[in-house]
């Protein structure tokens, strides 16, 4: 679903939207190993809108909708955002605004016969359709189609299947073990991360 940059750091609330103080934002390293600080003191906007249509019977991806989105409130991407997402300023400058992208999506949605079918959006968490998209639509004064009002949170489905509790350390360990076993069965070579280059504050 939509792609954006967000944080778990504490911030200040203005109206119904969340803004963040730059001094509270986390720092990361860019490719030149220089500190890059995210500035959260602005309204967050969607900059990518990808959706894949998966046939639940055949387990085949039948169609993909993918468009980048031009931000209209804060038009300049931060270095942090580009580093995190790989999306460049040139890419979003050439894109359409969210309202136009959603119109194109609705046309794709109709062409795929989804309006009158049994379907569900599957998202990684509730943020996409519960928070970011409706907040941005409200902020920019356009109405969302009603089909965005429900979704399946894949995190909850995984928890129901594997058991455990969100944010439980031991349950995370058990699930990491299962994922590692699956990767190894697929023949994937898992590479070590080098703390000397990846750890924040490393020199």
């Amino acid at each position: 679903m939509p792609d954006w940059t967000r944080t778990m750091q504490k911030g200040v609330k203005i109206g119904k939207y969340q803004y963040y103080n730059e001094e509270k934002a986390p720092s990361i390293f860019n490719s030149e190993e220089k500190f890059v600080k995210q500035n959260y003191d602005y309204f967050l906007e969607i900059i990518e809108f990808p959706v894949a249509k998966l046939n639940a019977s055949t387990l085949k991806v039948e169609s993909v909708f993918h468009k980048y989105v031009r931000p209209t409130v804060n038009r300049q991407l931060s270095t942090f955002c580009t580093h995190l997402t790989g999306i460049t300023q040139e890419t979003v400058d050439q894109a359409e605004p969210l309202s136009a992208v959603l119109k194109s999506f609705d046309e794709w949605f109709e062409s795929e016969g989804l309006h009158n079918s049994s379907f569900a959006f599957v998202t990684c968490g509730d943020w996409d359709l519960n928070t970011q998209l409706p907040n941005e639509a409200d902020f920019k004064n356009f109405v969302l189609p009603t089909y965005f009002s429900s979704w399946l949170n894949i995190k909850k489905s995984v928890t129901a299947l594997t058991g455990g509790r969100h944010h439980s350390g031991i349950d995370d360990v058990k699930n990491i073990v299962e994922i590692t076993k699956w990767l190894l069965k697929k023949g994937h070579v898992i590479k070590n991360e080098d703390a000397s280059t990846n750890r924040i504050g490393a020199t």
Side-chain angles (χ1 to χ4, degrees):
M1 286 305 296
D3 184 281
W4 52 83
T5 306
R6 57 188 184 274
T7 184
M8 296 298 177
Q9 302 298 315
K10 293 181 178 179
V12 293
K13 211 164 191 178
I14 303 176
K16 66 191 296 186
Y17 304 107
Q18 191 77 27
Y19 293 79
Y20 294 87
N21 296 323
E22 183 172 0
E23 62 270 16
K24 293 181 180 291
S27 296
I28 65 169
F29 279 102
N30 62 17
S31 57
E32 292 78 32
E33 295 189 12
K34 296 178 180 178
F35 278 112
V36 178
K37 182 173 284 189
Q38 165 74 315
N39 178 8
Y40 291 102
D41 199 22
Y42 51 75
F43 183 70
L44 304 181
E45 297 180 79
I46 295 167
I47 57 174
E48 185 178 12
F49 202 101
V51 180
K53 178 188 174 186
L54 174 68
N55 187 312
S57 297
T58 65
L59 301 183
K60 302 276 188 187
V61 174
E62 297 180 340
S63 183
V64 174
F65 178 90
H66 182 211
K67 283 183 178 291
Y68 292 102
V69 184
R70 186 175 76 246
T72 56
V73 177
N74 298 282
R75 302 186 180 188
Q76 187 70 33
L77 298 185
S78 67
T79 302
F80 180 95
C81 181
T82 296
H83 175 83
L84 185 68
T85 65
I87 300 173
T88 66
Q89 187 66 47
E90 181 181 11
T91 297
V92 296
D93 284 345
Q94 296 173 354
E96 294 178 311
L98 181 60
S99 57
V101 170
L102 289 176
K103 183 176 184 298
S104 295
F105 176 76
D106 189 66
E107 292 169 354
W108 174 84
F109 195 84
E110 175 69 29
S111 70
E112 293 295 324
L114 292 170
H115 272 297
N116 299 312
S117 69
S118 177
F119 79 95
F121 289 110
V122 180
T123 63
C124 186
D126 295 324
W127 178 274
D128 294 6
L129 297 181
N130 190 53
T131 303
Q132 179 61 36
L133 186 59
N135 276 3
E136 188 167 347
D138 184 40
F139 187 84
K140 295 180 178 180
N141 296 312
F142 57 83
V143 178
L144 292 173
T146 56
Y147 52 67
F148 283 127
S149 62
S150 64
W151 61 92
L152 298 177
N153 181 344
I154 197 68
K155 290 182 180 180
K156 294 179 180 178
S157 298
V158 171
T159 298
L161 178 65
T162 62
R165 179 185 178 89
H166 193 43
H167 295 307
S168 166
I170 189 60
D171 290 337
D172 286 347
V173 166
K174 293 175 181 177
N175 288 328
I176 289 170
V177 167
E178 293 304 313
I179 293 169
T180 303
K181 286 162 58 178
W182 182 83
L183 289 171
L184 293 174
K185 287 178 182 178
K186 291 288 185 179
H188 180 72
V189 178
I190 302 174
K191 297 180 180 179
N192 283 334
E193 297 295 328
D194 187 349
S196 65
T197 57
N198 290 329
R199 182 174 294 151
I200 293 176
T203 57

